[in-house]
Each structure stands twice: as structure tokens, then as C-alpha cells.
């Protein structure tokens, strides 16, 4: 961790849009001696809508000043504008756990990017319901655990997974082919990111690429979203598509689809780690 990272923080704000918010936040940071390095904002309406802001700034001795900074901001700015807000220090490296089954493309993309320094986090462990990917994961020096899941042991299995994943800030489903237990999802609310092919709900169940091929689709894609109790209905973070035509075989569709999946998931995870996402109901505001 370099000194710039040690003294960098991000402030994320949601509130009713009113005049003076930018001035109030900027003035507060100025009087604290902070230097704003990035500021993004979005309002849902020209007047009277919802307002969203992401501010990245640098401040000397940030670690020791965090508590007084948050207390002063809460009293002098946040309370006045009735803000929902959070302050994140870049030096507080987020910890993530990954859930996977047998398919490896999304998992290996995350592990490779992390090994290359492209994902600012600590990957604490990978949990799977199969032994298949143990060697691939352990080759990266990351612990691998197996928790079998079936229709008769779901509650016990997810209690065990919950215990294994304690201490993580985020869980990533890298093609984990199990439906999460509702109690588990409630405990990890807006802290689980999933990836799936964009054919849902049109092509549900096994072998969606075969179904897509039979229907002669012209677009394939993928969606990364936060997990909620409503299956595949959580707030969308990122999506992408690729054009295809009648020449594509099922295997070519699958290969291209997996390529889209791995990149969409990696972007969504990176944006979460960089505090670029604000959840607003069943939508997200993503500052890129």
C-alpha cells in the first residue's frame, strides 16, 4: 500500500435532489484540507428527483482522522440534506469469497485478474459443491473448500457456507449452479454478485445455448447482478451482448457466451470493489 492509497477515500451519497449539495460536500472537504480527485453525480430529474454522488479524495493522516471526519460530516452535511451515505477508505482492502460448481471460465478470469493486480481485493477462499476445480484454484495459492448441496441438506449446507465465508465483504457466484437458500441471501443482502446468460427467462434450465441455437438467436449476452430472494431479479450491475448469425454452432455460441460472461462479471466485481455502485431500489447507479 503506497501513501497515496493510504490517504485516499471515497464518499457515496444518495438523497433528495436540492440546491447546494455539491457546494456543501466540496466545501466540507476543502475545510478539512482534502483534495478532490474525482467527482461524479447523477440526478433522476432536472428538479426534485433523487440525487447520487461519488467523490474520491485524498487527505493527509486519513486513517487517524476517519472517525472525526465521519462524525463531522454527519452532523454538518448529511443530516441537513437527509443523506444516505458511506465513507470507504481505499486502504481497507475488501475481502471476497467465490462460489463455483464445475465450469471454470468465470472463476479463472477472476483469479487471473486478481493475480495480475487487476482486482483490488483479497480472495480469501473458493467454495464449490464439487471437487472438480480444486487443483485450478490451489494453483493460485487460494484455499478451496467443498460443500456438497442437494435437495435434502440445503439448510445445513448453506449454514456451513455462511460460516466459511464469514469476514468477507462480498461473495461472487462464478457460475455456481445452485439456488441459494433464502435465509442465506437475507444475511448477505446486496453482498452477492451473480453472472448468468442473458437468455433468462426465455431459455431457462439446462443447456441454454442449445435452446438459443434452436431458436436462431441473433444476439447473445450476459448479465451481472446482485442476488435477491427473487431468482435472477436483483439489481443489474452490468450487461453486454455480441451479435451472432445462422453460421454459429452450439459450441461457438457457448464459447462466445462464456467470453461475454467472464468479462461482464469481472467488470461488475471491479466496480463493486472500487465503490462505484449505488443501489437504488431494484436499480443501480454505476459511476464508471
Amino acid at each position: 500500500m503506497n501513501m497515496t492509497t493510504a490517504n485516499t477515500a471515497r464518499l457515496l451519497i444518495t438523497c433528495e435532489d436540492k440546491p447546494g449539495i455539491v457546494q456543501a460536500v466540496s466545501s466540507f472537504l476543502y475545510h478539512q484540507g482534502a483534495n478532490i480527485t474525482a467527482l461524479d453525480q447523477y440526478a433522476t430529474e432536472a428538479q426534485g428527483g433523487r440525487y447520487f454522488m461519488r467523490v474520491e479524495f485524498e487527505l493527509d493522516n486519513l486513517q487517524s482522522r476517519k472517525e472525526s471526519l465521519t462524525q463531522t460530516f454527519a452532523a454538518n452535511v448529511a443530516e441537513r440534506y437527509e443523506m444516505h451515505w458511506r465513507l470507504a477508505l481505499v486502504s481497507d482492502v475488501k475481502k471476497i469469497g467465490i462460489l463455483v460448481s464445475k465450469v471454470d471460465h468465470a472463476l479463472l478470469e477472476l483469479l487471473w485478474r486478481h493475480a495480475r493486480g487487476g482486482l483490488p481485493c483479497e480472495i480469501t477462499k473458493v467454495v464449490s459443491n464439487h471437487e472438480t476445480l480444486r487443483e485450478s484454484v490451489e494453483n493460485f495459492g487460494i484455499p478451496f473448500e467443498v460443500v456438497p448441496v442437494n435437495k435434502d441438506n440445503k439448510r445445513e449446507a448453506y449454514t456451513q457456507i455462511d460460516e466459511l465465508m464469514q469476514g468477507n465483504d462480498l461473495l461472487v457466484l462464478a457460475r455456481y449452479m445452485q439456488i441459494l437458500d433464502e435465509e442465506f441471501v437475507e444475511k448477505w443482502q446486496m453482498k452477492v454478485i451473480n453472472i448468468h446468460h442473458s437468455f433468462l427467462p426465455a431459455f431457462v434450465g439446462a443447456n441454454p445455448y442449445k435452446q438459443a441455437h434452436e431458436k436462431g438467436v441473433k444476439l447473445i449476452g450476459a448479465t451481472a447482478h446482485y442476488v435477491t430472494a427473487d431468482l435472477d431479479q436483483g439489481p443489474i450491475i452490468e450487461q453486454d451482448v455480441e451479435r451472432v448469425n445462422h453460421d454459429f454452432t452450439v459450441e461457438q455460441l457457448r464459447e462466445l457466451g462464456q467470453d461475454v460472461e467472464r468479462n461482464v462479471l469481472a467488470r461488475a466485481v471491479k466496480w463493486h470493489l472500487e465503490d462505484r455502485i449505488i443501489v437504488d431500489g431494484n436499480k443501480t447507479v454505476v459511476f464508471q
Side-chain angles (χ1 to χ4, degrees):
M1 180 177 66
N2 58 42
M3 287 307 297
T4 300
T5 301
N7 291 322
T8 302
R10 299 163 184 144
L11 183 62
L12 277 72
I13 296 168
T14 307
C15 62
E16 181 183 345
D17 193 10
K18 298 177 181 178
I21 295 174
V22 176
Q23 190 277 334
V25 173
S26 301
S27 179
F28 170 82
L29 292 174
Y30 170 76
H31 287 294
Q32 294 294 321
N35 179 45
I36 294 175
T37 55
L39 191 156
D40 296 286
Q41 59 180 327
Y42 166 68
T44 59
E45 306 287 343
Q47 292 185 352
R50 296 279 290 166
Y51 181 78
F52 305 87
M53 176 188 279
R54 177 187 185 271
V55 185
E56 186 169 290
F57 63 90
E58 294 184 13
L59 179 63
D60 290 341
N61 303 313
L62 182 58
Q63 290 278 354
S64 61
R65 297 180 60 183
K66 180 183 177 182
E67 185 174 351
S68 62
L69 187 74
T70 54
Q71 290 176 352
T72 307
F73 182 80
N76 294 350
V77 182
E79 186 176 327
R80 186 187 350 155
Y81 288 97
E82 299 179 308
M83 294 174 172
H84 295 281
W85 63 284
R86 64 182 177 90
L87 180 71
L89 272 58
V90 174
S91 59
D92 293 339
V93 178
K94 294 180 178 64
K95 297 180 179 181
I96 74 172
I98 301 175
L99 290 168
V100 68
S101 290
K102 294 181 178 180
V103 180
D104 65 1
H105 63 281
L107 167 70
L108 293 180
E109 183 70 23
L110 295 175
L111 297 183
W112 181 82
R113 292 195 186 206
H114 177 259
R116 301 277 295 189
L119 289 178
C121 66
E122 175 189 348
I123 299 179
T124 62
K125 62 173 59 72
V126 174
V127 174
S128 178
N129 53 328
H130 298 281
E131 281 281 351
T132 310
L133 299 177
R134 177 181 293 278
E135 184 177 358
S136 296
V137 172
E138 291 181 344
N139 282 341
F140 282 89
I142 293 172
F144 183 87
E145 303 276 356
V146 174
V147 180
V149 181
N150 57 59
K151 61 183 178 63
D152 299 318
N153 78 335
K154 281 207 167 190
R155 184 81 291 275
E156 295 81 3
Y158 284 112
T159 297
Q160 184 180 351
I161 293 172
D162 179 57
E163 292 172 354
L164 286 170
M165 291 300 190
Q166 286 301 308
N168 284 308
D169 302 290
L170 177 71
L171 302 184
V172 181
L173 309 186
R175 298 299 288 167
Y176 182 64
M177 307 307 289
Q178 293 288 328
I179 298 175
L180 298 182
D181 176 79
E182 285 192 20
E183 187 174 327
F184 182 89
V185 172
E186 183 65 26
K187 285 185 177 180
W188 292 87
Q189 197 169 40
M190 297 305 160
K191 292 183 178 180
V192 183
I193 293 177
N194 187 31
I195 184 69
H196 67 68
H197 50 81
S198 288
F199 303 132
L200 291 172
F203 302 115
V204 298
N207 212 338
Y209 291 103
K210 183 174 183 295
Q211 297 179 56
H213 182 264
E214 291 170 350
K215 292 290 187 181
V217 300
K218 305 306 180 195
L219 287 172
I220 62 170
T223 300
H225 64 93
Y226 288 112
V227 174
T228 63
D230 295 327
L231 183 64
D232 296 327
Q233 299 296 315
I236 293 170
I237 302 169
E238 171 67 338
Q239 295 179 297
D240 204 355
V241 295
E242 290 283 351
R243 294 201 66 85
V244 297
N245 60 40
H246 60 276
D247 288 336
F248 279 69
T249 64
V250 174
E251 187 53 41
Q252 286 174 322
L253 288 176
R254 182 178 292 111
E255 182 179 345
L256 184 58
Q258 290 181 347
D259 192 44
V260 179
E261 287 175 19
R262 63 166 63 95
N263 288 315
V264 167
L265 180 61
R267 288 197 295 267
V269 171
K270 188 171 190 289
W271 294 339
H272 180 98
L273 296 174
E274 293 176 345
D275 304 298
R276 296 186 180 277
I277 307 168
I278 300 177
V279 177
D280 181 39
N282 201 46
K283 295 182 177 181
T284 60
V285 174
V286 182
F287 293 115
Q288 299 177 18

